[in-house]
Amino acid sequence: MSAPSDLVRLDVCGDPADLIVRFLNTLDVEAGSDTMATLDGWQSWLSAQGLDGCFGPQENGALERARELRGDLRALAGGERRAQVRQLDIQVALTVDGRVELSAPTAVGFIAAAAAKVAIEERIDRVKICPADDCRWAFYDTSRNRSRQWCSMQVCGNRAKARAHRQRSTPA
């Protein structure tokens, strides 16, 4: 376990909800690509997030746990409820200024800590998956009443509305 002074704070990546969205979007359904298909891809993604030097070299077990966590978080964001429970190490520290900080000794645990913080802040329901089957992109719902459905109203929302209009307009 790291000493409190070695704690990697969640704010190194900005808003933890944005980190979760970026993590979920390592799987691109539309393009058919997966950033985490390889260990190098996982390490490159961590580097792009500014986390490459925080947790040391990654191994295949960490990559598998990252994929499992991503699947769980994508299911949650998509409104699915899974019965399986995964345990990941998360650190809770009280800082010298009296604040509580979440972190983890591993990169996967750090992502889980970010999700836990967003859940504690009651914002996890704002992390959503676009319902378009050819998209499935993750986004953060910034609407006041938390009712946004599409990753982009101009693209996926417009396609869905056009499709619904065509179905209504076509004689049966």
Side-chain angles (χ1 to χ4, degrees):
M1 183 168 183
S2 301
S5 62
D6 296 328
L7 187 72
V8 180
R9 295 172 52 146
L10 287 176
D11 61 2
V12 299
C13 295
D15 182 358
D18 292 338
L19 177 64
I20 297 305
V21 168
R22 291 190 307 268
F23 178 66
L24 296 180
N25 286 332
T26 58
L27 178 64
D28 188 338
V29 173
E30 188 173 15
S33 64
D34 183 354
T35 301
M36 296 188 331
T38 65
L39 188 55
D40 285 341
W42 168 235
Q43 289 177 309
S44 293
W45 184 83
L46 288 172
S47 179
Q49 307 312 307
L51 297 172
D52 55 334
C54 299
F55 301 102
Q58 300 295 301
E59 89 292 327
N60 285 323
L63 173 61
E64 186 57 37
R65 287 186 297 281
R67 286 187 194 134
E68 290 169 351
L69 178 62
R70 181 183 64 188
D72 292 343
L73 290 174
R74 285 185 67 85
L76 177 65
E80 232 180 276
R81 298 294 178 241
R82 290 191 173 177
Q84 185 162 351
V85 176
R86 296 195 202 285
Q87 294 184 352
L88 297 164
D89 291 332
I90 296 177
Q91 298 170 333
V92 179
L94 184 62
T95 64
V96 291
D97 59 351
R99 294 184 19 197
V100 173
E101 291 286 341
L102 296 178
S103 188
T106 66
V108 178
F110 187 81
I111 303 293
K117 181 171 184 177
V118 173
I120 290 166
E121 293 171 344
E122 298 182 353
R123 300 187 299 140
I124 198 73
D125 63 326
R126 288 186 179 270
V127 177
K128 298 180 178 181
I129 299 290
C130 182
D133 290 333
D134 59 344
C135 178
R136 307 297 292 161
W137 197 249
F139 64 94
Y140 186 79
D141 180 357
T142 57
S143 68
R144 184 174 290 189
N145 64 357
R146 301 174 184 221
S147 63
R148 182 173 157 195
Q149 290 185 349
W150 309 103
C151 64
S152 165
M153 202 53 221
Q154 293 78 13
V155 179
C156 291
N158 192 35
R159 285 182 201 158
K161 286 183 176 191
R163 194 171 22 255
H165 175 72
R166 279 192 307 275
Q167 288 174 344
R168 285 191 308 269
S169 300
T170 305

